[in-house]
């Protein structure tokens, strides 16, 4: 009887050990799969950041040239931007369409849309600005709406718009920096210009 009880105890102990081993292996497999997914996500995020670096650098350079052009605007000598100052290289524009995050893409589109109001058409008539408004939560764009604004016919209207657009261009640069730095930047971006 004692031998039978010992045998039963041994069998129950072996079964418990086998179940514990199976549970441990299952937990290790889940942990390994989670680590593999995290590594894949990290490498995908790094790959995307690498692909964004070139177009984002070109975007920052365009925004810097734009700031200079906006700063050069004058009521008499240069009341409008040229189409060339508004434009960005079509290849860069396509790369931004492909790789830019929604937040960068919407800010860029909003800036260019409003800038249309500072570019005169062939007859020196002001174009209407395209106004993009959007909502964000936790760094993600929830919705966006595009509307046609009223043309800025007077210099005062264009000067006010120019000041806002300069702020928008600097904000775009700050957002690009924050994204490329993997959101480690707090968005502080200070720029000085002397004319």
């Amino acid at each position: 009887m004692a031998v039978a009880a010992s045998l039963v105890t041994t069998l129950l102990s072996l079964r418990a050990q086998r179940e514990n081993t199976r549970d441990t292996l299952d937990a290790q497999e889940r942990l390994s799969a989670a680590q593999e997914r995290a590594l894949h996500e990290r490498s995908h995020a790094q790959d995307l950041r690498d692909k964004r670096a070139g177009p984002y650098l070109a975007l920052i350079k365009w925004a810097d040239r734009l700031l200079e052009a906006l700063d050069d605007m004058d009521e008499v000598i240069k009341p409008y931007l040229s189409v060339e100052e508004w434009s960005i290289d079509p290849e860069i524009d396509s790369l931004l369409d492909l790789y830019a995050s929604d937040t960068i893409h919407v800010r860029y589109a909003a800036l260019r849309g409003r800038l249309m109001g500072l570019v005169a058409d062939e007859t020196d008539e002001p174009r209407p600005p395209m106004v993009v408004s959007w909502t964000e939560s936790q760094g993600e764009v929830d919705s966006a709406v595009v509307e046609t604004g009223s043309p800025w016919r007077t210099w005062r209207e264009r000067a006010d718009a120019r000041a806002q657009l300069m702020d928008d261009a600097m904000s775009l640069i700050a957002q690009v920096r924050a994204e490329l730095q993997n959101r480690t930047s707090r968005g502080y971006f200070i720029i000085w210009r002397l004319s």
Side-chain angles (χ1 to χ4, degrees):
M1 191 68 124
V3 172
S6 174
L7 184 59
V8 169
T9 303
T10 301
L11 287 174
L12 291 174
S13 175
L14 286 173
R15 184 182 302 156
Q17 285 178 354
R18 193 170 47 241
E19 287 175 10
N20 285 341
T21 302
R22 230 178 292 160
D23 290 344
T24 300
L25 284 173
D26 288 344
Q28 287 176 342
E29 284 176 3
R30 284 191 305 273
L31 179 61
S32 176
Q35 288 174 333
E36 192 172 314
R37 277 191 309 275
L39 177 61
H40 176 72
E41 288 172 10
R42 248 192 329 271
S43 61
H44 176 70
Q46 183 61 44
D47 183 46
L48 193 54
R49 257 194 311 282
D50 291 346
K51 286 179 180 175
R52 287 176 174 166
Y56 279 6
L57 175 61
L59 179 60
I60 288 173
K61 287 180 178 181
W62 170 81
D64 190 50
R65 287 189 307 272
L66 174 66
L67 285 168
E68 200 171 302
L70 287 168
D71 194 45
D72 289 344
M73 286 181 70
D74 177 86
E75 182 175 8
V76 177
I77 298 170
K78 187 181 175 195
Y80 293 101
L81 292 176
S82 69
V83 172
E84 292 76 25
E85 291 166 326
W86 175 85
S87 296
I88 191 167
D89 182 311
E91 185 175 325
I92 297 301
D93 202 29
S94 295
L95 290 172
L96 289 168
D97 286 344
L98 284 173
Y99 297 118
S101 68
D102 286 350
T103 56
I104 297 297
H105 188 270
V106 167
R107 280 176 171 74
Y108 167 63
L111 178 60
R112 292 205 55 212
R114 290 197 43 174
L115 280 168
M116 290 170 126
L118 292 181
V119 179
D121 66 13
E122 302 79 31
T123 63
D124 269 352
E125 282 297 308
R127 300 170 194 253
M130 299 305 292
V131 181
V132 179
S133 53
W134 68 95
T135 58
E136 283 183 47
S137 64
Q138 299 176 353
E140 299 286 324
V141 175
D142 292 327
S143 64
V145 176
V146 179
E147 299 172 319
T148 303
S150 298
W152 300 315
R153 298 194 182 280
T154 67
W155 171 249
R156 173 63 21 223
E157 291 172 316
R158 287 192 302 277
D160 290 345
R162 176 186 73 160
Q164 180 59 53
L165 287 163
M166 289 178 88
D167 288 345
D168 293 348
M170 287 186 276
S171 175
L172 176 63
I173 293 170
Q175 185 67 35
V176 168
R177 287 179 69 242
E179 190 172 299
L180 282 176
Q181 295 170 7
N182 202 20
R183 304 218 184 272
T184 56
S185 171
R186 295 185 184 260
Y188 298 117
F189 180 69
I190 301 166
I191 186 169
W192 301 104
R193 297 195 168 282
L194 292 176
S195 299

